Amino acid sequence: GRLTSRAVMIEPADNILTPEYFQPLSDAWYFAEPAATHLESFLREAGLSARQTANLLATAVYSADRGEVRVVPDRELILDMDPETRANVYAELANNDINTLQKEPFRMRTESADTWFQGCDLSADIVAVMKRMVYRRGPFLMFSDPGIMMNEVTSEAERRSVLRTLFRQRALFCSIRIEADDDVDALSRYWGSGGRVSAVRPILASVADAGGGELDISLLLPPLARTFLFSYPRPENTIFRDCHWTSLNYFRIAPDDRFAEMQYATDFFVANYTVVTGTDYLPGDVVVLQSGEDKVIHTCNYIADGVVFTKNGGTAHRPWVFLDLQTVIDLYSLNGPVKVDVLRRTEDMAPPQAKPAAP
């Protein structure tokens, strides 16, 4: 079939926005070494004025045990930083895991903040304030200051709108065009990878028999992936369902939450998956992104034509979506180049071709 895709914007339903999202957030910044030792010079080089730097350093508390400096920016500083300065400061803060909103900011791949806020039900004044705090990291726009916005709005309804807007995620809605004379057996072998030919063939054949048409490819996914697509983690679930959990559960009917344990997931990959040579990838193959130190930093499932099924992080504001693989690679390359491998369940690997008998 011929794959087509279009960008869509998704955001969470109100039941995802549980009370803890509305609790006061820490307004402190924590600078680790080496920036902590030379904080004044770092802040000036990052773009803060002499007055802004002095005001910020007046709040500094040094922790020798942790080797870090804690400072508390005021509202004026956070609102007045220009995008480049904010990007410089927050890139440094992202090096310290305690700065969770700089390390894992709200983000969207787009050239313009207008795309992020288009169609939201916030007032123009609130949107203008939020746009002042957007900054760029590579091809992505980032937002790390929801605490300020919680103080800027006055009603619970507005706070929910702010959070829904920040949780927005661009994704791909994908379909395939099937013609009446298409090879249904070949289509079924592809989309029925992982032993699912009998599950998808009736769907594909029915479209071809009807003269052809567009088919939403979510209908061809295994049950678990189909259920989670375009959804956010539910608040009642306490399991850390991250990218590895997602990749390893792709073909399953019911999830195996042991895959939420990194060591178990790693051992399972080693014991049950094989590297795919060439580029003849199949739906469900696992795309593995590794850092320069060969540390696995992300996994996702290949679908077709460079589209993957992915959950970009284990946190609650990361939904399961279709994305183009290049966007995923760009996201995980923000801190350095990545290496890409593709794995397939060993049980699904084609047996080696028999060598012809010697004459």
Side-chain angles (χ1 to χ4, degrees), residues 51-52 74-83 85-86 132-133:
R51 180 182 62 82
Q52 289 172 323
D74 57 27
R75 174 182 179 277
E76 180 184 7
L77 173 61
I78 291 178
L79 288 176
D80 287 350
M81 279 192 293
D82 63 67
T85 299
R86 192 184 305 274
R132 290 172 63 181
M133 292 183 285

Side-chain angles (χ1 to χ4, degrees), residues 251 276 280-287 300-302 342-344:
F251 284 113
V276 177
D280 291 331
Y281 307 139
L282 294 173
D285 286 351
V286 177
V287 182
C300 55
N301 296 100
Y302 189 82
V342 178
L343 308 181
R344 183 174 299 160

Side-chain angles (χ1 to χ4, degrees), residues 108-333:
M108 183 174 295
R109 181 169 188 155
T110 177
E111 292 298 319
S112 170
D114 292 338
T115 303
W116 195 335
F117 298 103
Q118 183 177 14
C120 71
D121 54 359
L122 294 168
S123 70
D125 289 342
I126 293 299
V127 169
V129 174
M130 295 178 75
K131 285 183 177 180
R132 290 172 63 181
M133 292 183 285
V134 169
Y135 61 101
R136 182 166 294 282
R137 189 178 296 169
F140 297 88
L141 289 183
M142 308 287 194
F143 189 96
S144 297
D145 298 293
I148 286 288
M149 294 312 307
M150 293 297 101
N151 294 326
E152 294 292 313
V153 298
T154 58
S155 69
E156 180 179 348
E158 285 181 304
R159 292 189 178 97
R160 286 187 175 276
S161 293
V162 166
L163 284 178
R164 280 201 306 271
T165 301
L166 290 176
F167 274 71
R168 281 179 158 189
Q169 176 76 58
R170 294 190 81 188
L172 295 177
F173 181 88
C174 300
S175 61
I176 54 171
R177 177 73 191 179
I178 299 174
E179 304 297 345
D181 58 353
D182 278 347
D183 185 341
V184 172
D185 288 336
L187 286 171
S188 300
R189 286 194 298 272
Y190 182 85
W191 290 102
S193 62
R196 300 183 59 254
V197 171
S198 62
V200 303
R201 194 185 192 288
I203 302 172
L204 295 164
S206 66
V207 178
D209 291 344
E214 296 285 334
L215 178 66
D216 178 354
I217 66 171
S218 67
L219 298 175
L220 303 174
L221 296 181
L224 187 142
R226 185 169 64 245
T227 298
F228 280 89
L229 180 64
F230 301 135
S231 72
Y232 289 76
R234 298 185 63 82
E236 62 267 23
N237 178 67
T238 58
I239 303 297
F240 189 68
R241 291 177 167 175
D242 63 355
C243 59
H244 311 309
W245 179 96
T246 299
S247 297
L248 288 169
N249 274 304
Y250 178 83
F251 284 113
R252 293 177 179 268
I253 296 174
D256 184 343
D257 283 332
R258 291 177 296 178
F259 294 140
E261 302 171 15
M262 187 60 183
Q263 190 58 55
Y264 184 87
T266 300
D267 292 343
F268 195 89
F269 271 127
V270 171
N272 297 279
Y273 281 74
T274 300
V275 174
V276 177
T277 58
T279 57
D280 291 331
Y281 307 139
L282 294 173
D285 286 351
V286 177
V287 182
V288 180
L289 274 57
Q290 301 176 67
S291 69
E293 294 78 32
D294 292 330
K295 177 182 178 181
V296 175
I297 55 177
H298 185 65
T299 58
C300 55
N301 296 100
Y302 189 82
I303 299 298
D305 198 23
V307 172
V308 294
F309 174 70
T310 183
K311 188 177 190 302
N312 299 330
T315 57
H317 56 276
R318 302 286 186 247
W320 288 272
V321 294
F322 286 146
L323 278 178
D324 63 282
L325 177 57
Q326 190 58 55
T327 291
V328 177
I329 292 172
D330 289 345
L331 174 63
Y332 286 93
S333 300

